[in-house]
Amino acid sequence: MEPLRNPYLKSLEHRGFVQGVTLTDRTTNAPWCHYFGGLRYALPPTKRWRKAQRLPPSYSYGSKDHPGQCAGETGVCPQPSFPGLSLGDNWSEDCFQCNVWVPTGEPPKDGWPVLVFIHGGFLQFGTPNTFSAGALLGEAAFNAIIVMPAYRLGVFGFLYSSELEHDAATVSEPVGNQGFWDQRLALEWTRDNISLFGGNPSQITISGYSAGAYSVFYQLSYDIHLPEDQSIIKQACIWSNSPVAQPKAPSSAQTQFNELLSALNIPHTLSWVDKLAQLRSIPGSKLLSAATSLEINQFRPTTDSLFIHPTIFQSLDNGNIGRRIAARNIRIMLGECRDEGALYATWYPPQNDHSSLYKRLLADYPTPLVDTLMKLYCPDGKLPSGCRDWNCDAFGRIYADMQVYNMQRGLVHSLVLGGAAHLLYRYRIEHRLKCADETIPPEWGVTHATDQYIWWWGNGSVLQADEKSMIKSAFIEPLTKFVHGESDIGWGTKSHREMRKLRSDGSVEIWQDGLWDEAIRVWKALRAVGEQGNGPIAKL
């Protein structure tokens, strides 16, 4: 049931005034929280593919008489469609806004703790506007500020080339991975401005789902290499994803860039200035259409040596990242759903044959890894055991293992190597709430994204009474304590091989991870091959 929305004027001191809304329960008339939608965290870049600009110290959202209107939503970066996610074509490349939920009442002495959430969507689609945190604050007493930023996606956020390197150098900006830089700007905006909403900038937990969780790993790895007085992240939630391999080299990104030029009939013989001028003059919808028509149409992060260091996976292998996380006492909550692969199998599925599966995996992973994967899963060119076809069962299984099951266990293994075992809170969800049926077919089981209704207390849908008590004790109360920085959150696990599991009947057990050994076997096999074609990676 949609809450009532009453205007709420908020003074942000030197930032002026904003007009948000107070969300109120229609049945009880009890206020849930204050909501500010489409709140700007950065100014647009001077040109497409450049870095967004910090808000200047003098920036004001509005005056008391003419406050900034923040009762709506963020801009939506142009993006391909996905089943069950209808965004229309109301796109804007100016998507540098966030949605913010603030508890009602007086904040505690040090301010409300803060949860920054990065939405998923393979880094190709998605928006924070499909998430609703009002009931989590209003009914479940979460008592924390929640910030959800939008960021650039796909070809708009992750294009990289030598031409863009030249362009960035002219304005002394970083090149590529602009979607990650957008997320970082949102984190910095949160640190610098959240106290104006009653928040505590010293208690920020970063969280993300799917590609948002993937983003959390890279935001965390960037943050822990900064001087401690510049770091922002105190805790992290990595929900249903994990890092897989060293992101592609600039040379691979250049090949994709050149293919995009060809798809748009832009001559390769032009100067870098003219190439970019033509690319920047193309309407977003046409650029998106050309980008999604390419054989390798997934635009993903590049090893740029600034945000993503070339040895980041070596730092996992030798325990350096784990040691840095342990030294800063950063707790990490991470886990999975039982049937992740059912939804994953719907994202650009291959044709029903061996070669099509191979080509599809190349859209996401380096050739040496795909070669190894096919040998591990499809020996002698045969379907994996128990799979009926290549385009659904086999693809869904391999993709889910790579995105979640195997690689997240590899991440845990590496963090433990660095002495961070005591900071890990692992989970597994095998229960599906009834409201998940509104968007995800029941026959898909407890698949990827069904748990959004757990973490977000129905995410705008109505929970049944028995579901509320079940998920509150299973996850919401421990998550609340986690975000608030409490030392004992009642998780129940005693080692990194144990997971807090919500069983299909709604009960909670501490489960000895039955997928561990096979996952680490695959992780080690992938870590032993050269990702960029430059020889072997340091073995575990």
Side-chain angles (χ1 to χ4, degrees):
M1 182 183 298
E2 283 289 323
L4 295 171
R5 297 167 61 92
N6 299 309
Y8 177 72
L9 182 66
K10 173 68 174 174
S11 170
L12 298 180
E13 300 177 9
H14 64 285
R15 290 296 192 191
F17 288 80
V18 290
Q19 181 85 57
V21 293
T22 298
L23 303 180
T24 303
D25 189 293
R26 286 182 178 272
T27 303
T28 65
N29 285 324
W32 276 358
C33 64
H34 305 303
Y35 169 75
F36 305 92
L39 190 67
R40 183 169 293 282
Y41 67 80
L43 299 176
T46 55
K47 294 181 179 180
R48 184 184 280 166
W49 296 302
R50 284 188 180 170
K51 191 176 180 181
Q53 305 297 303
R54 301 177 191 274
L55 298 183
S58 61
Y59 183 87
S60 173
Y61 289 101
S63 66
K64 187 174 183 179
D65 293 334
H66 299 283
Q69 296 301 304
C70 296
E73 299 179 330
T74 71
V76 176
C77 181
Q79 56 191 262
S81 60
F82 185 74
L85 183 66
S86 178
L87 300 174
D89 56 0
N90 187 27
W91 297 330
S92 173
E93 292 184 52
D94 179 5
C95 58
F96 309 102
Q97 306 96 34
C98 56
N99 296 333
V100 180
W101 289 260
V102 180
T104 58
E106 287 296 315
K109 179 181 177 182
D110 295 328
W112 304 109
V114 183
L115 179 69
V116 175
F117 176 76
I118 301 176
H119 73 77
F122 300 87
L123 298 178
Q124 314 303 309
F125 71 88
T127 167
N129 301 327
T130 57
F131 294 91
S132 176
L136 178 65
L137 271 65
E139 294 185 355
F142 191 63
N143 292 330
I145 294 178
I146 297 171
V147 179
M148 297 188 186
Y151 56 97
R152 282 174 285 182
L153 303 162
V155 68
F156 300 92
F158 295 95
L159 188 68
Y160 192 106
S161 72
S162 62
E163 291 85 350
L164 288 169
E165 288 179 357
H166 290 304
D167 181 70
T170 65
V171 287
S172 301
E173 289 185 359
V175 60
N177 297 326
Q178 296 300 352
F180 282 169
W181 288 112
D182 296 345
Q183 296 168 6
R184 179 70 193 182
L185 274 175
L187 275 171
E188 292 172 351
W189 175 90
T190 301
R191 176 198 60 199
D192 297 339
N193 295 276
I194 207 64
S195 62
L196 302 176
F197 296 86
N200 182 356
S202 298
Q203 189 60 40
I204 295 176
T205 299
I206 186 173
S207 65
Y209 198 92
S210 192
Y214 179 88
S215 301
V216 166
F217 170 78
Y218 285 101
Q219 293 296 336
L220 180 59
S221 65
Y222 178 82
D223 198 75
I224 61 176
H225 285 87
L226 294 173
E228 195 160 0
D229 61 353
Q230 296 179 29
S231 67
I232 298 174
I233 299 168
K234 303 303 179 184
Q235 303 183 125
C237 296
I238 299 177
W239 292 328
S240 283
N241 211 281
S242 194
V244 174
Q246 184 73 39
K248 64 182 180 289
S251 58
S252 296
Q254 185 69 49
T255 299
Q256 192 178 36
F257 179 88
N258 291 342
E259 291 174 352
L260 179 64
L261 293 180
S262 296
L264 291 164
N265 296 315
I266 297 175
H268 292 214
T269 54
L270 294 178
S271 69
W272 69 265
V273 173
D274 290 335
K275 289 176 186 176
L276 293 184
Q278 289 202 30
L279 279 172
R280 284 169 168 152
S281 69
I282 293 172
S285 57
K286 183 178 179 181
L287 178 63
L288 176 66
S289 179
T292 54
S293 73
L294 303 180
E295 184 174 4
I296 305 297
N297 51 45
Q298 309 289 295
F299 288 82
R300 297 194 177 280
T302 302
T303 297
D304 62 354
S305 299
L306 182 56
F307 202 94
I308 300 176
H309 198 271
T311 61
I312 189 170
F313 272 76
Q314 292 177 26
S315 294
L316 277 175
D317 293 345
N318 61 29
N320 280 342
I321 287 182
R323 281 186 283 275
R324 286 179 178 270
I325 286 172
R328 296 196 179 179
N329 201 38
I330 298 173
R331 300 191 296 181
I332 302 176
M333 182 180 292
L334 69 173
E336 65 201 25
C337 292
R338 184 189 64 199
D339 308 309
E340 297 275 3
L343 185 140
Y344 272 125
T346 65
W347 179 245
Y348 285 91
Q351 297 298 311
N352 190 21
D353 59 70
H354 181 279
S355 62
S356 294
L357 173 60
Y358 178 82
K359 290 180 180 179
R360 173 61 186 87
L361 293 173
L362 287 175
D364 290 90
Y365 313 121
T367 300
L369 264 67
V370 176
D371 290 340
T372 302
L373 279 173
M374 296 302 285
K375 292 176 182 176
L376 288 170
Y377 284 88
C378 311
D380 303 319
K382 297 179 181 179
L383 278 167
S385 175
C387 290
R388 298 164 298 176
D389 53 49
W390 296 98
N391 60 335
C392 183
D393 283 359
F395 174 57
R397 177 187 297 183
I398 296 173
Y399 209 38
D401 280 353
M402 289 294 285
Q403 299 296 110
V404 186
Y405 299 128
N406 292 348
M407 299 300 101
Q408 191 168 98
R409 285 166 174 81
L411 173 62
V412 169
H413 175 92
S414 298
L415 296 178
V416 170
L417 183 66
H422 63 293
L423 298 169
L424 305 179
Y425 297 79
R426 300 181 63 207
Y427 70 85
R428 181 175 170 88
I429 295 175
E430 298 187 349
H431 182 87
R432 177 182 169 122
L433 300 182
K434 184 63 179 176
C435 56
D437 297 352
E438 297 174 12
T439 57
I440 302 173
E443 60 269 22
W444 289 7
V446 190
T447 191
H448 191 68
T450 51
D451 56 329
Q452 65 181 300
Y453 299 99
I454 293 176
W455 300 117
W456 300 114
W457 197 256
N459 197 30
S461 297
V462 177
L463 295 175
Q464 299 176 2
D466 60 331
E467 292 179 331
K468 290 182 179 181
S469 60
M470 173 188 62
I471 66 172
K472 188 168 187 176
S473 61
F475 284 116
I476 299 304
E477 287 182 345
L479 176 64
T480 301
K481 293 177 180 178
F482 181 86
V483 171
H484 283 247
E486 296 185 23
S487 58
D488 182 6
I489 71 170
W491 199 248
T493 57
K494 296 180 179 179
S495 81
H496 68 277
R497 294 283 295 267
E498 292 182 343
M499 305 177 77
R500 183 177 180 86
K501 182 165 77 172
L502 179 61
R503 300 171 60 184
S504 58
D505 63 3
S507 64
V508 172
E509 71 167 329
I510 303 303
W511 182 58
Q512 190 71 21
D513 186 358
L515 305 180
W516 181 267
D517 290 340
E518 175 60 16
I520 297 303
R521 183 182 77 89
V522 174
W523 169 264
K524 289 185 176 182
L526 296 179
R527 299 302 306 128
V529 300
E531 295 170 350
Q532 306 294 347
N534 295 321
I537 299 167
K539 298 183 180 180
L540 295 179

